[in-house]
Coordinates of all heavy atoms in Angstrom, one line a residue:
E1 N 85.5 66.3 103.9 CA 84.9 66.2 102.6 C 83.4 66.3 102.6 O 82.8 66.7 101.6 CB 85.3 64.8 102.0 CG 86.8 64.8 101.6 CD 87.2 65.8 100.5 OE1 86.4 66.0 99.6 OE2 88.2 66.4 100.7
D2 N 82.8 65.8 103.6 CA 81.3 66.0 103.8 C 80.9 67.4 103.8 O 80.0 67.9 103.2 CB 80.8 65.3 105.1 CG 81.0 63.8 105.1 OD1 81.0 63.2 104.0 OD2 81.1 63.2 106.2
L3 N 81.7 68.2 104.6 CA 81.4 69.7 104.6 C 81.5 70.3 103.3 O 80.7 71.1 102.8 CB 82.4 70.4 105.6 CG 81.9 70.6 107.0 CD1 81.6 69.3 107.7 CD2 83.0 71.3 107.8
K4 N 82.6 69.9 102.6 CA 82.9 70.5 101.2 C 81.7 70.1 100.3 O 81.3 71.0 99.5 CB 84.2 70.0 100.7 CG 84.6 70.5 99.3 CD 85.9 69.9 98.9 CE 86.3 70.4 97.5 NZ 87.6 69.8 97.0
K5 N 81.3 68.9 100.3 CA 80.2 68.4 99.5 C 78.9 69.1 99.8 O 78.2 69.6 98.9 CB 80.1 66.9 99.6 CG 79.0 66.3 98.6 CD 79.0 64.8 98.8 CE 77.9 64.2 97.8 NZ 77.7 62.8 98.0
M6 N 78.6 69.3 101.1 CA 77.4 70.0 101.5 C 77.5 71.4 101.0 O 76.5 72.0 100.5 CB 77.2 69.9 103.0 CG 75.9 70.7 103.4 SD 75.6 70.6 105.2 CE 74.7 69.1 105.3
Q7 N 78.6 72.1 101.2 CA 78.7 73.5 100.7 C 78.5 73.6 99.3 O 77.8 74.5 98.8 CB 80.1 74.0 101.2 CG 80.1 75.5 101.5 CD 79.9 76.4 100.3 OE1 80.5 76.1 99.3 NE2 79.1 77.4 100.5
E8 N 79.1 72.7 98.5 CA 79.0 72.7 97.0 C 77.6 72.5 96.6 O 77.1 73.1 95.7 CB 79.9 71.7 96.4 CG 81.4 72.1 96.5 CD 82.3 71.0 96.1 OE1 81.9 69.8 95.9 OE2 83.6 71.3 95.9
E9 N 76.9 71.5 97.3 CA 75.6 71.1 96.8 C 74.5 72.1 97.3 O 73.4 72.1 96.7 CB 75.2 69.7 97.3 CG 76.1 68.7 96.6 CD 75.7 67.2 97.0 OE1 74.7 67.1 97.8 OE2 76.4 66.3 96.6
T10 N 74.7 72.8 98.4 CA 73.6 73.6 99.1 C 73.9 75.0 99.2 O 73.0 75.8 99.3 CB 73.4 73.1 100.5 OG1 74.4 73.4 101.4 CG2 73.2 71.6 100.5
G11 N 75.2 75.4 99.2 CA 75.6 76.8 99.4 C 75.4 77.3 100.8 O 75.4 78.5 101.1
C12 N 75.2 76.4 101.7 CA 74.9 76.7 103.1 C 76.0 77.5 103.8 O 77.2 77.5 103.3 CB 74.6 75.5 104.0 SG 76.0 74.4 104.2
D13 N 75.6 78.2 104.8 CA 76.6 79.1 105.5 C 77.4 78.5 106.6 O 78.4 79.0 107.0 CB 75.8 80.4 106.0 CG 75.1 81.1 104.9 OD1 75.8 81.8 104.1 OD2 73.9 80.9 104.8
G14 N 76.9 77.4 107.2 CA 77.5 76.8 108.3 C 77.0 75.4 108.5 O 76.1 74.9 107.7
Y15 N 77.5 74.7 109.5 CA 77.3 73.3 109.6 C 77.0 73.0 111.1 O 77.7 73.4 112.0 CB 78.5 72.5 109.2 CG 79.1 73.0 107.9 CD1 80.1 74.0 108.0 CD2 78.6 72.6 106.7 CE1 80.6 74.5 106.8 CE2 79.2 73.2 105.5 CZ 80.2 74.1 105.6 OH 80.7 74.7 104.4
L16 N 75.9 72.2 111.3 CA 75.7 71.6 112.7 C 76.2 70.2 112.8 O 75.8 69.4 112.0 CB 74.2 71.6 112.9 CG 73.6 72.8 113.8 CD1 73.8 74.1 113.0 CD2 72.2 72.6 114.1
I17 N 77.1 70.0 113.7 CA 77.7 68.7 113.9 C 77.0 68.1 115.2 O 77.1 68.6 116.3 CB 79.2 68.8 114.2 CG1 79.9 69.7 113.1 CG2 79.8 67.4 114.3 CD1 79.8 69.1 111.8
G18 N 76.2 67.0 115.0 CA 75.5 66.4 116.0 C 76.1 65.1 116.4 O 77.0 65.0 117.2
R19 N 75.5 64.0 115.9 CA 75.9 62.7 116.4 C 77.4 62.4 116.2 O 77.9 61.6 116.9 CB 75.0 61.6 115.7 CG 73.5 61.6 116.2 CD 72.7 60.6 115.5 NE 72.6 61.0 114.1 CZ 72.2 60.2 113.1 NH1 72.0 58.9 113.3 NH2 72.1 60.6 111.8
A20 N 77.9 63.0 115.1 CA 79.4 62.7 114.9 C 80.3 63.3 116.0 O 81.5 62.9 116.1 CB 79.8 63.4 113.5
A21 N 79.7 64.2 116.8 CA 80.5 64.7 117.9 C 80.4 63.9 119.2 O 81.2 64.1 120.1 CB 80.1 66.1 118.2
R22 N 79.5 62.9 119.3 CA 79.3 62.1 120.5 C 80.5 61.3 120.7 O 80.9 60.5 119.8 CB 78.1 61.3 120.4 CG 76.8 62.0 120.3 CD 75.6 61.1 120.4 NE 75.6 60.0 119.4 CZ 74.6 59.2 119.2 NH1 73.5 59.4 119.9 NH2 74.7 58.2 118.3
G23 N 81.2 61.4 121.8 CA 82.4 60.7 122.0 C 83.6 61.1 121.2 O 84.6 60.5 121.1
N24 N 83.4 62.3 120.6 CA 84.4 62.8 119.6 C 84.4 64.3 119.6 O 84.2 64.9 118.5 CB 84.1 62.2 118.2 CG 85.2 62.5 117.2 OD1 86.4 62.8 117.6 ND2 84.9 62.6 116.0
P25 N 84.7 65.0 120.7 CA 84.9 66.4 120.7 C 86.0 66.9 119.8 O 86.1 68.0 119.4 CB 85.1 66.8 122.2 CG 85.6 65.6 122.8 CD 84.9 64.4 122.1
W26 N 86.9 66.0 119.5 CA 88.0 66.3 118.6 C 87.6 66.7 117.2 O 88.3 67.2 116.4 CB 89.0 65.1 118.4 CG 89.6 64.6 119.7 CD1 90.8 65.1 120.2 CD2 89.2 63.6 120.5 NE1 91.1 64.4 121.4 CE2 90.2 63.5 121.6 CE3 88.1 62.7 120.5 CZ2 90.1 62.5 122.6 CZ3 88.0 61.7 121.5 CH2 89.0 61.6 122.5
I27 N 86.3 66.3 116.8 CA 85.9 66.5 115.4 C 86.1 68.0 115.0 O 86.4 68.2 113.8 CB 84.5 66.0 115.2 CG1 84.2 66.0 113.7 CG2 83.4 66.9 116.0 CD1 82.9 65.2 113.3
F28 N 85.9 68.9 115.9 CA 86.0 70.3 115.5 C 87.4 70.7 115.2 O 87.8 71.3 114.2 CB 85.4 71.2 116.6 CG 84.0 70.9 116.9 CD1 83.6 70.2 117.9 CD2 83.0 71.4 116.0 CE1 82.3 69.9 118.1 CE2 81.7 71.1 116.2 CZ 81.3 70.4 117.3
E29 N 88.3 70.2 116.0 CA 89.8 70.3 115.8 C 90.2 69.7 114.5 O 91.0 70.2 113.7 CB 90.5 69.7 117.0 CG 92.0 69.9 117.1 CD 92.5 69.3 118.4 OE1 92.5 68.1 118.5 OE2 92.9 70.1 119.3
Q30 N 89.7 68.5 114.2 CA 90.0 67.7 113.0 C 89.5 68.5 111.8 O 90.3 68.6 110.7 CB 89.4 66.4 113.1 CG 90.0 65.5 114.2 CD 89.2 64.2 114.4 OE1 88.0 64.1 114.0 NE2 89.8 63.3 115.1
L31 N 88.3 69.0 111.8 CA 87.8 69.7 110.7 C 88.5 71.0 110.4 O 88.8 71.4 109.2 CB 86.3 70.0 110.8 CG 85.4 68.8 110.8 CD1 84.0 69.1 111.3 CD2 85.3 68.1 109.4
L32 N 88.9 71.7 111.5 CA 89.7 72.9 111.3 C 91.1 72.6 110.7 O 91.6 73.3 109.8 CB 89.9 73.6 112.6 CG 88.6 74.3 113.1 CD1 88.8 74.7 114.6 CD2 88.2 75.5 112.3
S33 N 91.7 71.5 111.1 CA 92.9 71.0 110.5 C 92.8 70.7 109.0 O 93.6 71.0 108.2 CB 93.5 69.8 111.3 OG 94.7 69.4 110.7
W34 N 91.7 70.0 108.8 CA 91.4 69.6 107.4 C 91.3 70.8 106.5 O 91.8 70.9 105.3 CB 90.1 68.8 107.3 CG 89.6 68.7 105.8 CD1 90.0 67.7 104.9 CD2 88.7 69.5 105.2 NE1 89.3 68.0 103.8 CE2 88.5 69.1 103.9 CE3 88.0 70.7 105.6 CZ2 87.7 69.7 103.0 CZ3 87.1 71.3 104.7 CH2 87.0 70.8 103.4
D35 N 90.6 71.9 107.0 CA 90.4 73.1 106.3 C 91.8 73.7 105.9 O 91.9 74.4 104.8 CB 89.6 74.1 107.1 CG 89.1 75.2 106.2 OD1 88.5 75.0 105.2 OD2 89.2 76.4 106.7
K36 N 92.8 73.6 106.7 CA 94.1 74.1 106.5 C 95.0 73.2 105.6 O 95.8 73.7 104.8 CB 94.8 74.4 107.8 CG 94.2 75.5 108.6 CD 95.0 75.7 109.9 CE 94.3 76.8 110.8 NZ 95.0 76.9 112.1
T37 N 94.9 71.9 105.8 CA 95.8 71.0 105.2 C 95.2 70.1 104.0 O 96.0 69.6 103.2 CB 96.4 70.0 106.2 OG1 95.4 69.2 106.7 CG2 97.0 70.8 107.4
G38 N 93.9 70.0 104.0 CA 93.2 69.1 103.1 C 93.2 67.7 103.5 O 92.7 66.9 102.8
Q39 N 93.7 67.4 104.7 CA 93.7 66.1 105.2 C 93.0 66.0 106.6 O 93.4 66.8 107.4 CB 95.2 65.5 105.4 CG 95.9 65.5 104.0 CD 95.5 64.4 103.1 OE1 95.0 63.3 103.6 NE2 95.5 64.6 101.8
M40 N 92.2 65.0 106.8 CA 91.6 64.8 108.1 C 92.7 64.1 109.0 O 93.3 63.1 108.6 CB 90.4 63.9 108.1 CG 89.2 64.5 107.6 SD 88.4 65.8 108.7 CE 87.7 64.7 110.0
P41 N 93.0 64.6 110.2 CA 94.0 64.0 111.0 C 93.6 62.6 111.4 O 92.4 62.3 111.3 CB 94.0 64.9 112.3 CG 93.4 66.2 111.8 CD 92.4 65.9 110.8
P42 N 94.5 61.8 111.8 CA 94.1 60.5 112.3 C 93.2 60.6 113.6 O 93.3 61.6 114.3 CB 95.5 59.8 112.7 CG 96.4 60.9 112.9 CD 96.0 62.0 111.9
K43 N 92.5 59.5 113.8 CA 91.7 59.5 115.0 C 92.6 59.5 116.2 O 93.7 59.1 116.2 CB 90.8 58.2 115.0 CG 89.8 58.2 113.9 CD 88.7 59.2 114.0 CE 87.6 59.1 113.0 NZ 86.6 60.1 113.1
P44 N 92.0 59.9 117.4 CA 92.9 60.0 118.6 C 93.4 58.6 119.0 O 92.8 57.6 118.7 CB 91.9 60.5 119.7 CG 90.8 61.2 118.9 CD 90.7 60.4 117.6
S45 N 94.5 58.6 119.7 CA 95.1 57.3 120.1 C 94.3 56.8 121.3 O 93.5 57.6 121.9 CB 96.6 57.5 120.5 OG 96.6 58.4 121.7
G46 N 94.6 55.6 121.8 CA 93.9 55.1 122.9 C 94.2 55.9 124.2 O 93.3 56.2 125.0
K47 N 95.5 56.4 124.3 CA 95.8 57.2 125.5 C 95.1 58.6 125.4 O 94.6 59.1 126.5 CB 97.3 57.5 125.5 CG 97.7 58.4 126.7 CD 99.2 58.6 126.7 CE 99.6 59.4 127.9 NZ 98.9 60.6 128.2

C-alpha cells in the first residue's frame, strides 16, 4: 500500500527499499506477492 500510495502521489518509476529490508530480505518477495494478489503475505514464521 505504501508503494501504491507513493506511485499515485508522485508518479515515480521505481522504489528504493532501505531500512525496511534490514532483517527482512523477504520484503521483495512479499511486495511481488502483494502486486499479484492485493494482499501482503504474513510475516515469516520463527522457523
Side-chain angles (χ1 to χ4, degrees):
E1 288 301 317
D2 293 336
L3 264 60
K4 181 180 179 182
K5 185 179 179 185
M6 178 180 275
Q7 212 288 319
E8 291 173 347
E9 292 185 8
T10 71
C12 67
D13 302 284
Y15 318 90
L16 261 65
I17 311 295
R19 288 175 296 158
R22 296 186 309 187
N24 187 23
W26 297 276
I27 191 168
F28 301 99
E29 188 176 71
Q30 292 167 347
L31 291 170
L32 290 167
S33 177
W34 167 85
D35 194 50
K36 292 179 181 178
T37 67
Q39 298 289 327
M40 284 290 284
K43 297 291 187 181
S45 67
K47 181 181 185 305

